[in-house]
Amino acid sequence: MRVLALGDICGSIGRNAVKERIPTLKRELGIDFIIANGENSAGGVGMTASTVHDILNAKVDCITGGNHSWKNREVYDTFDKEQRVLRPQNFPAPAPGRGSNVFLLPDGRKIAVLNIQGTTFMDALPCPFQAAYEFVNSLDDDVVFRFVDFHAEATSEKKAMGFALDGKVSAVFGTHTHVQTADAQILPNGTAYMTDLGMCGVELSCLGMSFESVLQRFVSKRPASFKRAVGQGALNGLLMELDDESGKALSVSLFRENAPRTKISSYELIETGQTQSAADAQKADSHE
């Protein structure tokens, strides 16, 4: 089994990179299943029904989310209806949608995916470790392929989750920070691990936003409008080879596609923290 996990898809540039490359890469690399975090796919913050549709049409098999999943209310109905789209499991009921699902491949193999959110330096949610243990205990023995997208801020919390689930799942990988970490590894009991997958978007940026606009906020200590970075889109993630019998990792490798080598020359304005509706997100996205 060969699985690719992709980091946070950021705006239309990230979506376009996925749409342009993933169908071909899926064939060329013999990838059986693709998981991608889509919580920033609409205008760089949140997701919409339209961006979900774009990502699924690009041959992504499962979309995970995070703290920005709730930004645009119109997508809540999609969470309820589309089983390929997940949001963090440990949000209290009655949150729309689901945090985990078991996918059945055409050849009969089953793949379970869990999306959970960390609590260190983030919202005070129910314990993600408890949610992870419950997920593992709920699975039948024939579901040997098990993946966890841990959307979290602190590297220590992500590392702890990896060791907590070592040998119980096929892989634990982090999302949220948009910066790919160089620690792809196989833990002692066979679980693939990576602290953060990175992002799918403009790498020559501050997490998808222009470094100039982000720097202004840090230097002035005052509120400032972020500007979305415009430039070459790149894909970041983790490519995993798994044993068909046990579901454990055989090999792992950093995945980087089209990492840019040229200077960004232009930016487009986006007011972050003010996208209250799908219409706002789509309007911002149309300017990229």
Side-chain angles (χ1 to χ4, degrees):
M1 168 75 72
R2 184 168 287 189
V3 174
L4 175 64
L6 293 173
D8 304 49
I9 298 172
C10 195
S12 61
I13 292 179
R15 295 199 316 273
N16 288 338
V18 169
K19 289 190 291 185
E20 290 170 5
R21 293 297 298 141
I22 289 305
T24 300
L25 288 170
K26 202 168 188 178
R27 294 192 308 271
E28 291 178 347
L29 300 178
I31 298 170
D32 298 290
F33 198 82
I34 295 180
I35 304 164
N37 190 288
E39 67 137 14
N40 293 306
S41 57
V45 183
M47 60 177 79
T48 66
S50 176
T51 64
V52 166
H53 183 265
D54 278 353
I55 297 168
L56 293 176
N57 276 354
K59 307 301 182 184
V60 169
D61 299 288
C62 176
I63 300 174
T64 52
N67 56 306
H68 293 310
S69 292
W70 315 106
K71 190 67 175 179
N72 303 309
R73 289 183 175 274
E74 71 96 31
V75 79
Y76 292 5
D77 188 53
T78 302
F79 290 162
D80 285 329
K81 293 180 178 179
E82 178 53 76
Q83 296 189 8
R84 293 174 291 177
V85 181
L86 306 180
R87 47 76 175 168
Q89 175 89 349
N90 54 324
F91 268 85
R98 59 193 56 77
S100 64
N101 196 20
V102 177
F103 300 85
L104 181 64
L105 298 188
D107 60 10
R109 291 179 292 180
K110 297 178 180 178
I111 295 177
V113 182
L114 171 69
N115 187 194
I116 46 178
Q117 184 170 313
T119 56
T120 304
F121 309 125
M122 299 187 76
D123 292 336
L125 296 176
C127 179
F129 291 86
Q130 185 63 39
Y133 293 145
E134 291 174 357
F135 164 75
V136 169
N137 292 334
S138 72
L139 297 174
D140 294 333
D141 291 341
D142 64 337
V143 185
V144 298
F145 301 108
R146 306 170 177 188
F147 299 89
V148 178
D149 175 353
F150 191 22
H151 197 79
E153 182 79 28
T155 56
S156 58
E157 190 178 20
K158 294 178 182 181
K159 293 285 285 188
M161 184 65 73
F163 285 110
L165 297 180
D166 184 22
K168 300 178 177 66
V169 301
S170 302
V172 176
F173 41 80
T175 55
H176 179 63
T177 71
H178 291 210
V179 178
Q180 188 182 61
T181 54
D183 63 341
Q185 60 191 275
I186 300 175
L187 299 178
N189 294 312
T191 292
Y193 174 82
M194 187 171 175
T195 299
D196 202 282
L197 299 176
M199 74 172 186
C200 299
V202 181
E203 269 200 337
L204 288 178
S205 68
C206 285
L207 315 186
M209 301 298 166
S210 79
F211 48 80
E212 293 174 338
S213 63
V214 174
L215 181 61
Q216 179 183 0
R217 180 177 292 191
F218 278 116
V219 171
S220 71
K221 305 300 181 183
R222 299 188 302 271
S225 298
F226 284 165
K227 298 177 182 179
R228 242 180 341 210
V230 174
Q232 180 180 332
L235 304 179
N236 283 189
L238 176 66
L239 184 61
M240 298 161 276
E241 190 84 36
L242 307 154
D243 182 74
D244 282 333
E245 296 297 325
S246 67
K248 293 184 178 182
L250 299 174
S251 67
V252 297
S253 59
L254 294 177
F255 180 83
R256 293 173 63 82
E257 171 78 10
N258 293 333
R261 294 290 181 269
T262 57
K263 183 178 179 181
I264 298 172
S265 58
S266 62
Y267 307 98
E268 295 292 337
L269 180 64
I270 177 173
E271 298 287 344
T272 61
Q274 299 180 14
T275 306
Q276 299 299 326
S277 67
D280 292 333
Q282 290 174 325
K283 181 178 179 181
D285 218 27
S286 68
H287 292 300
E288 287 193 280

